[in-house]
């Protein structure tokens, strides 16, 4: 089988299949560590506990643990209104609600594992051309520099991101909804210790997430309106910090220094189906979400874990229609649940109609007072239903 795209999700799938006996070719256009590598860039990713368990199963968590900042509590608020909610790990009987890890560290851990694996074929940098998908298999060429190689595979996995070339070649439609927001991302130093609290603050211009990275270092994801993004990006550090402070408030101390800013236009992209003839889409190729709830990679990692499990359990053809249908059915509830949850948050908190603000603040207050609602949210990290991948339950991809 071939996996196109060795970003966060494609590299995770390849790592999950090491030692499974599956012959796997991984093609990635941009080497890990190159400045143009867009998956393992300057961002930080909030990993849920299920993702931590999957990474433990892939043998990469031990490399990441020292870099992972635990989230001990999550504080959700609506700017200028009374409602707020707090979710505390200890109250849920767990050590952390999740962990914040720099994407580059995740890339180093995953690619370190892939490069040491004797049973993987890697083509990096590799460009896929001339994809032909038929009932019996998939054919394409891989161009690496001056070299060109003809490939045939019984399954092609599209892990090539939101603008997936493989998704188009397979004729799978994708619905794209533009949020008309841009995420401006940077690391920010504070003068106060953070105590592992992650903040989600909904403002009229868009949500603002402030995640703990180290004792006095924060990861900021500031979603602003698209028509305001150029101005926000052009601010000098002092003015940017002042505006961030005005929007966020003082709960995380005084923001004293800002790192380099990067920006990401925000859209919801949903493939009509995650499978087609001899093709599976995982991660952003299947669904690319707003980062408001930090769910996109966590969801994509569960795609990868479940696909690895289904393939490892089948001794035969990894692209057999029945196998692909089983994968799609098992992932359906989680995919649609997380997508609706994330999209719903953006729309609910972006709605300024009279009464909606009041309602959501009552919602936050009720949420804060209702332990079962909080426990349900704490379980978001396991997915929104359907079978939970073995790796996420702390089991190997298949029994020995
Ligand atoms: C600002 C921001 C913050 C986020 N924070 C979080 C968070 O805290 N938690 C969370 O769970 N999610 C988060 N996400 C979402 C997360 O980043 C994505 O879900 C994740 O990157 C998806 O990984 P992917 O491998 O599917 O796709 P990508 O990251 O897009 O990787 C695709 C890979 O495929 C390669 N590629 C593309 N085309 C080809 C081709 N034709 N041939 C070969 N290779 C190709 C690319 O070079 C790249 O390496 C965030 C997103 C944003 C924008």
């Amino acid at each position: 089988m071939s996996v196109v795209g060795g970003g966060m999700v494609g590299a995770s799938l390849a790592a999950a299949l090491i030692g499974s006996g599956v012959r796997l070719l991984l093609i990635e256009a941009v080497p890990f560590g190159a400045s143009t590598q867009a998956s393992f860039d300057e961002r930080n990713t909030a990993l849920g506990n299920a993702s931590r368990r999957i990474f433990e199963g892939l043998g990469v968590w031990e490399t990441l643990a020292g870099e992972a900042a635990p989230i001990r509590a999550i504080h959700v608020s609506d700017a200028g209104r009374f409602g707020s909610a707090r979710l505390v790990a200890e109250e849920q009987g767990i050590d952390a609600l999740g962990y914040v890890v720099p994407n580059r560290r995740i890339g180093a851990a995953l690619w370190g594992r892939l490069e040491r694996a004797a049973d993987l074929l890697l083509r990096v940098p590799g460009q896929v051309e001339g994809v032909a998908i038929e009932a019996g298999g998939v054919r394409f060429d891989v161009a690496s520099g001056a070299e060109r190689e003809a490939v045939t595979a019984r399954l092609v996995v599209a892990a090539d991101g939101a603008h997936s070339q493989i998704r188009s070649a397979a004729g799978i439609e994708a619905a794209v909804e533009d949020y008309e927001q841009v995420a401006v991302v940077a690391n920010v130093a504070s003068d106060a210790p953070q105590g592992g609290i992650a903040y989600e603050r909904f403002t009229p211009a868009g949500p603002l997430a402030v995640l703990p990275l180290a004792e006095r270092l924060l990861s900021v994801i500031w979603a602003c309106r698209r028509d305001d993004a150029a101005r926000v990006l052009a601010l000098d550090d002092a003015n940017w910090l002042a505006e961030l402070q005005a929007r966020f408030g003082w709960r995380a101390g005084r923001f004293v220094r800002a790192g380099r800013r990067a920006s990401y236009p925000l859209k919801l992209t949903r493939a009509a189906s995650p499978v087609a003839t001899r093709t599976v889409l995982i991660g952003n190729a299947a669904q690319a979400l707003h980062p408001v709830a930090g769910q996109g990679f966590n969801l994509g990692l569960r795609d990868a874990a479940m696909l690895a499990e289904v393939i490892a359990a089948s001794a035969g053809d990894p692209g057999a229609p029945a196998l692909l249908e089983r994968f799609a059915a098992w992932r359906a509830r989680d995919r649609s649940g997380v997508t609706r949850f994330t999209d719903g948050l953006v729309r609910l908190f972006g709605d300024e109609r009279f009464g909606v603000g009041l309602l959501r603040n009552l919602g936050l207050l009720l949420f804060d007072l209702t332990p079962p609602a909080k426990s349900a949210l704490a379980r978001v990290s396991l997915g929104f239903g359907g079978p939970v991948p073995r790796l996420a339950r702390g089991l190997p991809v298949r029994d020995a």
Side-chain angles (χ1 to χ4, degrees):
M1 63 181 269
S2 294
V3 179
V4 179
M8 301 264 280
V9 173
S12 299
L13 172 66
L17 285 168
I18 291 173
S20 66
V22 175
R23 220 176 111 79
L24 191 148
L25 170 70
L26 174 63
I27 303 132
E28 165 55 51
V30 186
F32 170 70
S35 60
T36 49
Q37 220 308 327
S39 201
F40 305 114
D41 60 6
E42 301 291 329
R43 281 172 296 173
N44 303 290
T45 292
L47 299 171
N49 282 311
S51 296
R52 172 193 165 150
R53 268 195 297 278
I54 294 173
F55 275 166
E56 282 170 352
L58 303 191
V60 295
W61 182 255
E62 57 199 55
T63 321
L64 293 176
E67 309 284 342
I71 299 175
R72 308 277 185 214
I74 299 177
H75 184 277
V76 184
S77 59
D78 198 356
R81 298 186 195 261
F82 56 85
S84 72
R86 227 174 123 90
L87 188 64
V88 180
E90 210 180 351
E91 287 172 10
Q92 305 299 322
I94 50 180
D95 198 39
L97 294 162
Y99 299 84
V100 186
V101 188
N103 284 22
R104 275 197 209 290
R105 300 293 183 189
I106 296 177
L110 285 170
W111 273 92
R113 187 97 179 80
L114 301 186
E115 279 159 0
R116 285 195 309 275
D119 54 346
L120 285 180
L121 296 167
L122 304 177
R123 296 292 178 271
V124 189
Q127 209 63 51
V128 173
E129 291 167 5
V131 182
I133 301 175
E134 289 159 6
V138 182
R139 280 179 290 114
F140 55 83
D141 289 343
V142 179
S144 313
E147 311 229 327
R148 213 179 168 82
E149 178 185 2
V151 173
T152 56
R154 289 183 295 175
L155 175 68
V156 62
V157 180
D160 51 352
H163 306 288
S164 172
Q165 173 194 4
I166 299 300
R167 187 179 67 215
S168 306
I172 302 176
E173 298 283 326
V176 181
E177 288 168 58
D178 195 337
Y179 288 117
E180 300 189 0
Q181 290 179 1
V182 172
V184 176
V185 177
N187 292 348
V188 169
S190 161
D191 69 352
Q194 296 304 309
I197 303 176
Y199 300 90
E200 188 69 64
R201 186 151 177 78
F202 291 92
T203 79
L208 180 59
V210 174
L211 308 175
L213 263 186
E215 196 48 11
R216 290 170 193 265
L217 191 63
L218 304 156
S219 168
V220 171
I221 303 156
W222 169 353
C224 55
R225 284 195 321 268
R226 190 171 50 201
D227 57 13
D228 195 31
R231 185 194 65 79
V232 171
L233 285 163
L235 290 170
D236 62 25
D237 282 0
N239 281 311
W240 188 73
L241 285 173
E243 204 164 308
L244 177 67
Q245 193 91 61
R247 256 164 217 243
F248 180 76
W250 297 90
R251 280 195 179 95
R254 176 187 296 276
F255 301 142
V256 290
R257 226 177 23 261
R260 208 173 62 79
R261 271 167 265 162
S263 65
Y264 303 82
L266 299 178
K267 293 177 182 168
L268 169 62
T269 304
R270 261 180 300 193
S273 166
V275 297
T277 306
R278 301 270 160 203
T279 311
V280 180
L281 315 182
I282 58 173
N284 272 19
Q287 67 274 316
L289 313 181
H290 194 294
V292 60
Q295 290 296 315
F297 174 65
N298 288 293
L299 180 64
L301 185 60
R302 295 196 291 276
D303 287 345
M306 185 58 89
L307 184 60
E309 178 178 330
V310 169
I311 290 172
S314 82
D317 180 357
L323 183 149
L324 301 189
E325 288 308 327
R326 190 171 345 128
F327 167 77
W330 282 0
R331 293 298 301 137
R333 276 182 60 190
D334 193 18
R335 290 182 63 224
S336 71
V338 174
T339 305
R340 276 190 280 116
F341 169 74
T342 300
D343 186 50
L345 271 185
V346 182
R347 294 188 193 284
L348 176 67
F349 284 92
D351 194 334
E352 286 308 305
R353 277 176 303 170
F354 180 75
V356 176
L358 179 69
L359 269 180
R360 66 185 180 234
N361 278 276
L362 283 174
L364 281 179
L365 272 183
L366 283 175
F367 177 83
D368 203 36
L369 298 171
T370 323
K374 287 187 175 188
S375 305
L377 189 67
R379 281 199 300 273
V380 162
S381 101
L382 268 183
F384 273 69
V388 176
R390 287 171 59 94
L391 282 166
R393 287 182 275 137
L395 301 169
V397 162
R398 68 163 179 224
D399 288 327

